[in-house]
Each structure stands twice: as structure tokens, then as C-alpha cells.
Amino acid sequence: MKQNRVEAFFNKVVSNYRVILVVCALLFLGSVMFLPKLSKDTRYDAFLPAKDSVLIKRNQLKETFGLKDPMIIAIVNDKGIFNKNSLKIVYEISEQLKSISGIDPDQITSLSTENNIVGTDSGILVKPFYDIEELTDEKALEVSKSIDDFELYQGSLVSHDKTTTLIVAEMLDSYDMKQHEVYNSLHEMISQYNIKDHKFYLAGEGAVSGYLIKYIDEDAMRTNPFAGLVIALILIFAYRTIRGVLLPNLMVLASVGIALGLMAAFGVDFFVITNGLPVVLIAIAVADGIHILGEYYELAIKHTNYTQKELVVETMVKMWRPIAITSFTTISGFMSIALSSYMPPMIYFGVFGALGVLVALLYALFMIPSAMMLLKPQKSRVFKSVDKVDKFGNIMLLLGSFVVKQPKTILISGILIIILGIVGALKLLINEDRIKNFQSDEPIVIADQLINNKTDGTSYLDVLIETPQNEDLFKIENLQKIDSLQNYIESISYVKGSTSIVDFIKKMNQSMHENQEAFYKIPDNNQLVAQYFLLYSASGDPTDFDNYIDYDYKLANVRFRMNSGEYINEKEVINKAQKYINTHFTSSQIKATLSGKVAVDTHWISKLGVNHFLGAIIALLVVLFVSAISFKSLIAGVLTVIPVTISVLFIYTVMGVMDIWLAVGTSMFAAIAIGVGVDFAVHTIDRLKYFLNEKKLPIKEAYTEFYKSAGRALLFNFLALALGFSVLMTSSVPPLNQFGFLVAIAVIVSFLGSMTLLPAIILLTKPKFFINKK
């Protein structure tokens, strides 16, 4: 817009300030009223869209075999769990679980619910390992012996050293989104047990999802107010006026409230990574207010005869373009995350982050000038006169003096950072571990580590076995293929055990041969397999096998247990298992498909690296395009992206040195750092162009004017962003902690680059863009 059109526009804004303030208030209230409806989703499969083929296959598997994400209770007795007292506790907890809302009473697995398989003269006898009425210490030792003869439960239900036993409880489908309620009930239940020599732990995928909701809620209650306090303190130091603190904070409140309110209104779930969005928006949204008020107080000193309307209009005429450009470049950073990502949590983080920044821009252009019309002209104590500056202005003047004296040194330093950053990017490690969402001293982390160390582990890889005809799984050749698959995958690192229908068939065969170890194998003919199932049904419940085989004996599930949830370890297992399947399951008579948590994890985490670099490239290109169009100069666009490019490359070096993974939280830092950090470059180019091109000042004088005015405002903009993102470093959620750290470092580098390298390049190259065209 031309100058006179811009002035006319803001004259209309301030002339209708009452209507605008009412509209802004109604928009805010109308949005935040939806906040109570905001729901949380902490499931691991939330990172895949519902239409994803891998997720669809996993869901079909779960439905066919009644599989769910379990809650796992570990009972530890260092003296051994095979005694009357310990087994009584197992029974009591197993029974209590049946009455807890959300727990499927038919899907509880423990020593007191599972059956032993014993051969008799007349066939197979299926009976519980023990009856509570007959339980004695002698009977407990018999149970120990039975477990010794039942390989299936060694490691999966009882630790090999017999000090730990597990109770696995699965949830009802209707409680899939209420895992936190179930977790709280189970945690309260085991907390009531205070029995000598016994320790109780709660873990499992269901428990992780349930505990995360409480965890992120408590984290948000701490970090969000802290971020607001930090921003308020920065504004106090910047302007030392009530309006200087109040108006930017109203804009921040609107940005966060409307973004989250609309998230709730549209039924978008709140994910773990979304927990950092309010702090991010608090840090970003305040920037426009800082620049507007900074310009306002400078004008108030220069033009003491101006009315409030004249001060406000001229402030907005000078500031609308840089804050619009910086807002759109920040929006591009968020949208690049949404456009480059396949995962719903990251897509929504990008979309609603961009929405929050857009709201901040609109409130900056309309609400702040309108609100200022309710007030009288005011000077700030930090702007004492046109010529004098405070200590913050002096700091920036010293920095400007260094740039003018040492531009070549600064340029060489920038080139070195670029080289180091490229080397660092090549060393990035893509990795993820869901348990890393918690601090290492959290009870659930301790429980997870104990169960992984003592038993076969808490991470599951499922393999779906498909055959074309009913009862094809009675065929010896098919059972042998499954058995070979189990033996191979169990030989891979971190895979500690597995369970399939083959294990039950082997046990039945052994039981029918006086429990001789040599007969723990698949029988020799199909008819014998079918006969074993018939004999089992005479004294056992045929539904005992529902988790492993379908009713028609056509489909089967093999569940492998891993004691590591790290992506790099899961990826190794998946790659080797898939290679084995591709080689040994080539017949049309039997098919194997990898599924379960480990397969789902590997599927979506493998996309992180591509998403990260694609998002960064999109952000850079959009910033370049927006800046070039806004300034009507390709050179200006290129100069704009130089500081943020260096900041991202520098972070790669930091990640390599500090061994920080490129994971869910950290993978978003580049796009955000670009969108946020470019603000400094945009304001630098805009003001230097103003002083050099429009005001026709000599270079040294132009630099002095820039550093003491716009430079001072950028210093507080920098402090707001750096300290705002640093608040996330106090987060209890490690991914958010690392994300805040990386973006804060990137902001520091972007600020220093915009305040030193960018002016140095302009000083050395003297682009025509900064020379007044006559």
C-alpha cells in the first residue's frame, strides 16, 4: 500500500476503535468458551492418520485377536515370588482388577488367571496353576516347578530369576481415550499395598499413555504462567509503563486463547508436543507489541505536540510492513511443518501455531491501536530525549561500532559456522523412545526399566500369519514356518521372547509324553495337532487361544517382546524380520505381515528425517519469496535468509556435540527457528533501507540511528523470544525441554547474525537495494 493509503487505513481503524475493541473481545470470548472441550490424545498411534495402511492393518489385527495396549503391574520380591504370601498378593490384585472401570475382566493375565497344561492317562488336563483356597508355601513351590516346565511363561510372566511376576491387564475398547482414568485407578490400587519385602510397579504402553495426560497437564500449569511472567518482566524493563506491559500481553492472551479455543471447537486433540504451543505463542506473539510500542515512545519524544491519534497512526504507518512481513514469515515456518509432515500432531501444531501468529498480527494491527485510543499520549522514562539512550541502547550502539570496525572478521566467522553446521547435519541421529517423554526419575520410567531388565520387555512386535483355507494352521509345514520365524526373530538383539499358538501346541505335545523335554516340539502329523485342540477343549476354555489364533484356524498372531523402545533398535528388528519374511514366506499358502507397536513406531518415526529437512527447505523458500516480494528485491530476500540459515546449521553442530537426537520434539526446531528468527533480519533490512535509502544518511550515521532505535527494540524482541523459549527448558517433558533449548539457541544466533553479519555484508557489498534511486 502507498503511504497515503496506509495512513487513511489506520485513520479509519482509530476512528472506529470502540467497534474494533468489541469485535476483538467477542472473538476472544467466543473462542475460549470451547476450551473445556479440549481433549488429550497420548496414544503412540496418534502419530499416524487414520487412513494409514500400516495403522489400518494394526487395528484389524487388534480387532481379530482382541489385542489392546496393556497396563502391566510388576510385583517384585527379592527373596523370590514363589511363596504363599506373594502368590496371594497376585491373586488379590488380579481379582481387584476385574472390578476396575475400564479393565476388561476377561483379559487379565497373571499366575492366578493362567492355566497349566498337564498330560493324563485319558488326555490333557487344563487347570489353574493354583487355587487360592489350597495355597500353601509347599503349593507355591509346585507352581515354581510348573513354570520351569512351561517355557511359554518364562520371561513373559515370571522373571528368569523368579523375583518378579507380572500382571497384564487390558482395557475395554470404550476406554481407549480414557487411559488416564484407568491408570489413576491402578496407581491408587497398588499404592495401598505396603507389604514387607514386596515392591509394586506400574508400566506398559497403556500406562504410559495414561500417565502422560497427567504429566503434561502438570507441566502446562507450571510453564505457561512462567512464560507469561518472563514476558511481563521483559516488557517492564523495555518501557516501564503499564500500557507497555498490558497491551502486548492482551495480544498474547488473544493469540493463545483463540488458537487453543478453535482447536477445541474443531475437535482437534491436544497431543504431547502441542503442550509446548502456548509457550511458543507467548514468546512469538509479544514481538509485534514490542516494536509498535517502541516506535510509539520514540515518536512521543520527537513530536511532543502530536495528539494521541497522530502518534498512533504514524506509529502504525511505520510499523505495519515489518510486523506483517515478520508475521507471515513466522506463519510460513509453522505451515512448513504442517505441509511437510505426515503426522497429525505435527500437522496440527503447525496449523494452529500459524493461526495463533495470524491472530497476533490482526490484534497488533487493529486491537493495539484501538486500545491506545482509550489512553492519553504518554512518554516512557527509558526514552529521555531524542539524542539520549538508556543502557540497553548503549549496548546496541557498542555492538554497531564493532560491526563497522570489523566487518571482515564477522564475515569469516559466519562462513566457519556454515561449514561446521553442514558437518553437524551429516552426523544427525534420528531416534525416538516414548519413555523419554518423562524425566528419568519418574515412577513410570523406573517401572519400565525394571520390567525391561527383569522380564522380556514392554514393547510388542506382532506378526500376522495368514493362510488361505480354514484349519490350514493345523498343517505341520505352516506351524514349522511359524516356529522358525520365532526362533530367528528371537535371535535379533533386544528381542527377548515370543508367544504363538505353536508354543501351546508344543506344550500340549510335551504334556502328552510325560512332560519329557525332548517332546517340546511340533507333532509329526496334522491330525495329532487337531486332536490336541479337541483334548484341550475337554477341560480348558477354547477362548484361551483367542489372542493367538482365529476361530477358523486360518489366521494367527505371533507376539514378540522387546526390552527396548528406541527407534534405532526397533528399526534393526523390523528390517531383519522383514528380510527374513521376504525370503521364507514367499508361498501363497502362508503369508506373514509385521504389525503391532514396534512396526507402527518404526513406520512413522522413519519419516521424521525427511519431514524435518523438507520443512526447513519449505520454510527457507517461503521466507525468501515473501521477503523478496515485500521488499521488491531478490537481494533483500537472500539477505533475509542468511542469519536463519546459519542459526539452523549452528544447531546441527550443537546437536552433534551434545548427542541430541532428531526426534519428534526436536524435528520441528528448524522450521520454527527459521520462521521466528527471520524477524530480526526483516526489521534490520527494513530500517537500514529507511535510513540509507529514504533518509539518505551516511552509512556510519545510518548504522548509529539503526542500533539505538530499531536495534534496541530488536534486543527486547530477542530477549522475549530467547527467554520465552527458554521457559520450555524448565518443562518436565524432555522433548519440549530440548525443543525449547534448540530454538532458544537458534534465536540467539539469528539475532547476533542479524545484528552483526547482516550489517557487515551490507557494509562490505553495498547492495543497490540500499542506495536511493534518483
Side-chain angles (χ1 to χ4, degrees):
M1 288 189 288
K2 292 183 178 180
Q3 187 81 353
N4 56 346
R5 290 183 182 178
V6 175
E7 188 173 343
F9 174 80
F10 283 108
N11 267 307
K12 287 184 179 180
V13 170
V14 297
S15 296
N16 296 280
Y17 67 92
R18 289 188 177 90
V19 175
I20 290 173
L21 289 175
V22 170
V23 172
C24 288
L26 290 176
L27 179 60
F28 174 73
L29 294 173
S31 299
V32 297
M33 65 181 291
F34 290 101
L35 283 176
K37 296 182 180 180
L38 195 61
S39 60
K40 299 177 181 65
D41 189 352
T42 55
R43 298 169 302 146
Y44 69 90
D45 53 9
F47 281 91
L48 287 174
K51 64 181 180 180
D52 183 87
S53 59
V54 172
L55 186 60
I56 290 172
K57 197 72 175 178
R58 195 291 310 264
N59 289 338
Q60 291 173 346
L61 181 82
K62 290 178 73 173
E63 184 177 350
T64 300
F65 298 103
L67 304 173
K68 303 176 186 71
D69 295 330
M71 303 274 185
I72 302 176
I73 297 173
I75 302 172
V76 180
N77 183 349
D78 291 332
K79 296 180 180 179
I81 51 92
F82 287 109
N83 59 78
K84 177 182 177 180
N85 196 25
S86 296
L87 293 185
K88 181 181 177 182
I89 294 170
V90 172
Y91 172 82
E92 289 176 352
I93 292 179
S94 299
E95 292 300 307
Q96 278 185 268
L97 285 171
K98 294 177 182 179
S99 62
I100 290 181
S101 297
I103 294 294
D104 187 342
D106 297 323
Q107 292 293 329
I108 297 170
T109 305
S110 73
L111 283 172
S112 72
T113 64
E114 296 306 283
N115 294 319
N116 192 15
I117 300 175
V118 181
T120 65
D121 293 337
S122 58
I124 292 176
L125 176 62
V126 182
K127 64 176 184 178
F129 282 109
Y130 64 93
D131 293 317
I132 192 64
E133 295 82 5
E134 302 174 0
L135 184 60
T136 62
D137 284 329
E138 290 74 18
K139 179 61 179 177
L141 293 177
E142 291 180 20
V143 176
S144 177
K145 179 61 171 61
S146 297
I147 293 297
D148 289 341
D149 293 334
F150 210 143
E151 186 176 318
L152 180 65
Y153 293 121
Q154 296 169 22
S156 63
L157 202 58
V158 179
S159 63
H160 293 286
D161 64 4
K162 298 185 179 181
T163 62
T164 305
T165 186
L166 304 180
I167 301 175
V168 182
E170 296 186 0
M171 292 181 295
L172 295 167
D173 290 331
S174 58
Y175 276 76
D176 193 38
M177 297 295 290
K178 299 180 181 179
Q179 292 169 319
H180 62 290
E181 296 179 7
V182 182
Y183 173 85
N184 291 338
S185 298
L186 266 62
H187 184 267
E188 183 179 350
M189 180 188 72
I190 64 172
S191 297
Q192 295 173 355
Y193 281 86
N194 185 16
I195 302 173
K196 183 181 178 182
D197 297 329
H198 290 80
K199 295 178 183 177
F200 302 87
Y201 300 88
L202 178 58
E205 190 52 45
V208 170
S209 297
Y211 189 66
L212 260 178
I213 292 180
K214 173 186 175 184
Y215 198 65
I216 63 176
D217 279 348
E218 292 177 350
D219 189 66
M221 291 294 289
R222 181 178 61 257
T223 56
N224 293 347
F226 186 32
L229 176 62
V230 168
I231 296 301
L233 290 174
I234 290 171
L235 291 170
I236 290 171
F237 277 104
Y239 302 120
R240 301 177 198 172
T241 64
I242 293 176
R243 73 181 66 175
V245 177
L246 184 61
L247 293 181
N249 272 310
L250 286 176
M251 190 174 68
V252 167
L253 188 63
S255 173
V256 176
I258 293 174
L260 296 186
L262 291 179
M263 185 182 292
F266 286 105
V268 175
D269 291 323
F270 200 77
F271 304 97
V272 176
I273 60 172
T274 319
N275 205 49
L277 187 58
V279 174
V280 170
L281 288 178
I282 288 171
I284 293 173
V286 75
D288 293 344
I290 288 176
H291 288 289
I292 290 172
L293 285 164
E295 183 64 27
Y296 170 84
Y297 285 123
E298 281 193 44
L299 288 174
I301 286 292
K302 293 177 181 178
H303 305 287
T304 56
N305 60 326
Y306 272 24
T307 64
Q308 179 72 343
K309 183 177 181 180
E310 289 172 326
L311 285 173
V312 172
V313 170
E314 186 166 340
T315 295
M316 298 309 299
V317 167
K318 286 188 176 181
M319 296 310 302
W320 80 270
R321 188 175 70 172
I323 66 173
I325 296 173
T326 56
S327 293
F328 285 123
T329 52
T330 302
I331 288 170
S332 72
F334 278 106
M335 287 307 298
S336 67
I337 294 174
L339 293 173
S340 64
S341 182
Y342 182 70
M343 294 157 269
M346 300 177 76
I347 292 173
Y348 291 130
F349 185 95
V351 169
F352 286 96
L355 178 62
V357 176
L358 178 61
V359 169
L361 172 62
L362 293 175
Y363 272 67
L365 295 177
F366 292 94
M367 186 277 290
I368 285 187
S370 297
M372 290 177 75
M373 290 304 297
L374 297 173
L375 306 169
K376 295 180 180 180
Q378 183 188 53
K379 297 178 183 179
S380 170
R381 284 179 292 173
V382 301
F383 296 94
K384 297 179 180 179
S385 70
V386 176
D387 298 321
K388 291 184 178 180
V389 294
D390 66 353
K391 58 184 177 182
F392 296 106
N394 284 324
I395 291 172
M396 296 309 296
L397 283 172
L398 287 173
L399 184 60
S401 176
F402 173 74
V403 171
V404 172
K405 292 177 181 178
Q406 301 291 336
K408 292 182 180 179
T409 302
I410 293 170
L411 183 61
I412 292 171
S413 299
I415 294 172
L416 288 175
I417 292 175
I418 291 174
I419 295 171
L420 289 172
I422 294 172
V423 174
L426 297 174
K427 294 182 178 180
L428 280 178
L429 175 64
I430 299 173
N431 201 9
E432 182 62 75
D433 190 349
R434 189 161 157 79
I435 203 67
K436 299 293 185 182
N437 282 312
F438 306 99
Q439 297 287 344
S440 59
D441 59 349
E442 286 293 328
I444 198 161
V445 177
I446 296 171
D448 184 78
Q449 290 174 342
L450 179 133
I451 293 173
N452 281 328
N453 290 334
K454 288 279 191 178
T455 67
D456 288 347
T458 58
S459 292
Y460 298 133
L461 168 64
D462 292 312
V463 180
L464 172 63
I465 304 296
E466 299 173 272
T467 58
Q469 302 295 328
N470 292 347
E471 298 188 358
D472 270 357
L473 289 174
F474 287 160
K475 294 180 178 179
I476 300 303
E477 60 268 27
N478 288 337
L479 294 175
Q480 289 174 339
K481 275 187 172 292
I482 296 173
D483 190 36
S484 297
L485 175 70
Q486 287 182 255
N487 291 333
Y488 173 75
I489 295 182
E490 283 185 18
S491 70
I492 304 173
S493 299
Y494 302 103
V495 180
K496 297 303 178 183
S498 65
T499 306
S500 77
I501 195 63
V502 172
D503 297 297
F504 288 99
I505 293 171
K506 286 177 171 182
K507 179 58 181 174
M508 286 188 279
N509 190 52
Q510 183 185 33
S511 298
M512 289 297 293
H513 291 84
E514 299 178 348
N515 220 38
Q516 295 180 54
E517 187 175 346
F519 285 92
Y520 187 75
K521 62 179 184 178
I522 299 169
D524 295 330
N525 61 76
N526 303 343
Q527 290 75 21
L528 196 54
V529 173
Q531 186 178 356
Y532 284 162
F533 278 102
L534 183 63
L535 291 172
Y536 186 98
S537 63
S539 61
D541 187 347
T543 62
D544 289 346
F545 304 129
D546 283 356
N547 291 155
Y548 309 104
I549 199 165
D550 75 332
Y551 180 79
D552 296 322
Y553 300 98
K554 181 180 176 182
L555 305 175
N557 182 54
V558 186
R559 169 156 283 189
F560 295 89
R561 295 175 293 277
M562 289 182 60
N563 66 351
S564 171
E566 284 192 26
Y567 165 71
I568 55 173
N569 299 328
E570 292 179 336
K571 180 183 177 182
E572 179 186 359
V573 173
I574 289 294
N575 289 342
K576 290 183 176 179
Q578 188 61 59
K579 186 176 180 180
Y580 181 91
I581 288 171
N582 292 342
T583 304
H584 295 85
F585 284 79
T586 57
S587 168
S588 60
Q589 298 304 305
I590 186 167
K591 178 184 176 183
T593 306
L594 299 177
S595 188
K597 175 187 176 295
V598 172
V600 171
D601 278 353
T602 305
H603 176 58
W604 69 262
I605 296 172
S606 65
K607 301 176 183 295
L608 279 179
V610 173
N611 290 346
H612 169 78
F613 289 109
L614 181 60
I617 292 170
I618 292 174
L620 282 173
L621 291 176
V622 173
V623 166
L624 176 62
F625 177 77
V626 171
S627 300
I629 294 296
S630 300
F631 289 118
K632 299 178 182 179
S633 168
L634 180 60
I635 295 296
V638 172
L639 289 173
T640 301
V641 299
I642 288 175
V644 290
T645 302
I646 291 176
S647 71
V648 171
L649 291 173
F650 181 78
I651 290 302
Y652 290 147
T653 303
V654 172
M655 292 176 73
V657 171
M658 299 186 66
D659 194 27
I660 297 175
W661 298 341
L662 186 65
V664 173
T666 56
S667 68
M668 298 186 298
F669 89 85
I672 296 296
I674 292 167
V676 171
V678 75
D679 292 12
F680 307 120
V682 169
H683 281 285
T684 298
I685 291 172
D686 182 76
R687 299 314 287 168
L688 282 177
K689 179 180 181 294
Y690 172 75
F691 290 123
L692 290 167
N693 192 316
E694 297 178 29
K695 300 291 286 185
K696 304 177 185 178
L697 297 177
I699 286 182
K700 289 187 177 180
E701 188 178 340
Y703 273 46
T704 298
E705 289 298 316
F706 164 72
Y707 279 102
K708 77 176 185 180
S709 57
R712 183 185 184 279
L714 286 170
L715 174 62
F716 283 100
N717 184 0
F718 154 69
L719 291 174
L721 286 171
L723 295 178
F725 278 101
S726 295
V727 168
L728 287 175
M729 293 171 61
T730 68
S731 170
S732 299
V733 183
L736 294 180
N737 189 298
Q738 293 176 340
F739 171 74
F741 168 72
L742 293 177
V743 177
I745 295 295
V747 166
I748 292 171
V749 176
S750 292
F751 172 73
L752 292 175
S754 298
M755 294 295 98
T756 58
L757 181 62
L758 192 53
I761 293 174
I762 294 170
L763 189 63
L764 291 170
T765 61
K766 296 180 176 61
K768 293 182 180 180
F769 172 73
F770 293 95
I771 298 174
N772 186 43
K773 296 178 181 178
K774 297 181 181 180

